[in-house]
Amino acid sequence: MSQETKKIKVTTAVIRDMKKKGEKITMLTAYDYPTAFLIDQSGIDVLLVGDSLGMVVLGYTSTLPVTMDEMIHHTKAVCRGVQRAMVIGDMPFMSYQISVEAALHNAGRFLKETDAQAVKLEGGREVAEITRRMTASGIPVMGHLGLTPQSIQQFGGFKIQGKGDEAARRIIEDAHILEEAGAFSIVLECVPGDLAAEITRLLSIPTIGIGAGVECDGQVLVTNDMLGTFERFTPRFVKKYANLSIQMREAVKQYMDEVRSGIFPGKEHTF
Ligand code: KIV
């Protein structure tokens, strides 16, 4: 990436254009200022303040307990660290399902109270009307199909979706419905690679895959998974690019050893 490209703020138009040019879109999650700062400096295209926050940062066992106030708090911190990447706020469970009015109010909070440029919400035809109203109100929407973690109780666990002709046909229909409703992009989570490839060919908006194969227009991972700081479980689709938990434990142990033995602080750390 050239220095010139690095300076340009990524927008929905940039994301759409990348699909047209066949350039892969890179996306990761972030929940705090220092992580967002470092990832943005590395040149990522999109930063999602995912409701995965609940599991990888707040220690809940699912994403369901996450509140709008928690999402706003963390999205503000992420936005303070970002210059170039597009920042997307994830709508938490029950922030858009109750009524169109509540959904618009909550989506609007991301744009009014933080510097996020768009929101993401889970679901297909059932969120089409909400997607249409948000888009019409000037709130860009990223869709999310396949394994949608907010429906985990309905799915009965973290399982691959879209297997079999009927299930695949439904996801393809949902993707068309979301595109028609105005979504600027769609996350495809845990669906077979050939289904994700077909949806990617059929849509003019970009698809972002997570456990959906290499044919999507872009890829997203939960940062804490790929950096190895979340150890409770690691889905098969995650590639660990680092194992920072090992380094953290070693650093903390060395610090404790040095404090206990009087090596730290040294002369250079002492006034
Ligand atoms: O909450 C999240 O981090 C997400 C991504 C996994 C797409 O929805």
Side-chain angles (χ1 to χ4, degrees), residues 194-212:
D194 51 357
L195 173 60
E198 188 178 353
I199 295 171
T200 302
R201 272 194 304 275
L202 289 169
L203 298 190
S204 61
I205 56 171
T207 59
I208 310 288
I210 173 162

Side-chain angles (χ1 to χ4, degrees), residues 2 15 53 72 75 88 109-110 126 132 147-148 150 160 167 186 196 254 258:
S2 72
I15 296 296
L53 162 81
I72 294 290
T75 306
I88 303 181
R109 286 191 63 190
F110 277 107
E126 65 280 12
R132 200 168 285 117
L147 174 55
T148 44
Q150 292 175 15
I160 186 162
I186 299 178
Q254 188 181 348
E258 292 191 2

Side-chain angles (χ1 to χ4, degrees), residues 49-268:
V49 189
D51 65 352
S52 47
L53 162 81
M55 298 178 78
V56 302
V57 172
L58 301 180
Y60 300 135
T61 54
S62 77
T63 60
L64 303 188
V66 177
T67 65
M68 265 308 294
D69 285 344
E70 285 167 337
M71 289 305 302
I72 294 290
H73 177 75
H74 286 270
T75 306
K76 279 182 178 171
V78 165
C79 291
R80 283 182 214 120
V82 170
Q83 283 191 330
R84 176 185 175 272
M86 174 176 200
V87 177
I88 303 181
D90 208 4
M91 303 277 300
F93 183 54
M94 282 301 137
S95 68
Y96 55 97
Q97 292 91 342
I98 294 168
S99 69
V100 174
E101 286 68 29
L104 280 173
H105 170 77
N106 286 323
R109 286 191 63 190
F110 277 107
L111 273 71
K112 284 172 77 80
E113 296 176 35
T114 83
D115 284 331
Q117 294 145 274
V119 300
K120 176 173 83 58
L121 42 100
E122 297 183 4
R125 61 203 71 199
E126 65 280 12
V127 296
E129 178 56 17
I130 294 166
T131 302
R132 200 168 285 117
R133 290 285 300 275
M134 286 180 186
T135 309
S137 308
I139 304 170
V141 174
M142 175 177 268
H144 187 159
L145 293 172
L147 174 55
T148 44
Q150 292 175 15
S151 305
I152 203 69
Q153 301 298 353
Q154 211 167 356
F155 294 146
F158 291 95
K159 294 176 185 156
I160 186 162
Q161 300 297 307
K163 269 170 86 177
D165 289 350
E166 178 53 28
R169 190 188 54 76
R170 204 176 153 82
I171 295 188
I172 293 172
E173 269 178 21
D174 279 338
H176 280 300
I177 290 170
L178 289 181
E179 173 166 35
E180 186 272 326
F184 72 91
S185 173
I186 299 178
V187 169
L188 297 175
E189 179 163 354
C190 260
V191 299
D194 51 357
L195 173 60
E198 188 178 353
I199 295 171
T200 302
R201 272 194 304 275
L202 289 169
L203 298 190
S204 61
I205 56 171
T207 59
I208 310 288
I210 173 162
V214 74
E215 299 292 324
C216 295
D217 297 305
Q219 296 291 327
V220 60
L221 282 176
V222 169
T223 296
N224 301 59
D225 287 337
M226 60 86 83
L227 292 182
T229 56
F230 179 69
E231 296 185 317
R232 208 188 302 147
F233 67 89
T234 307
R236 186 166 81 83
F237 57 74
V238 170
K239 178 170 176 182
K240 276 198 183 182
Y241 287 83
N243 215 329
L244 297 189
S245 56
I246 293 178
Q247 279 172 280
M248 279 180 76
R249 281 197 196 91
E250 279 170 359
V252 171
K253 198 175 163 310
Q254 188 181 348
Y255 166 75
M256 294 188 309
D257 288 348
E258 292 191 2
V259 169
R260 285 173 185 152
S261 62
I263 293 175
F264 179 81
K267 280 203 175 70
E268 68 277 28

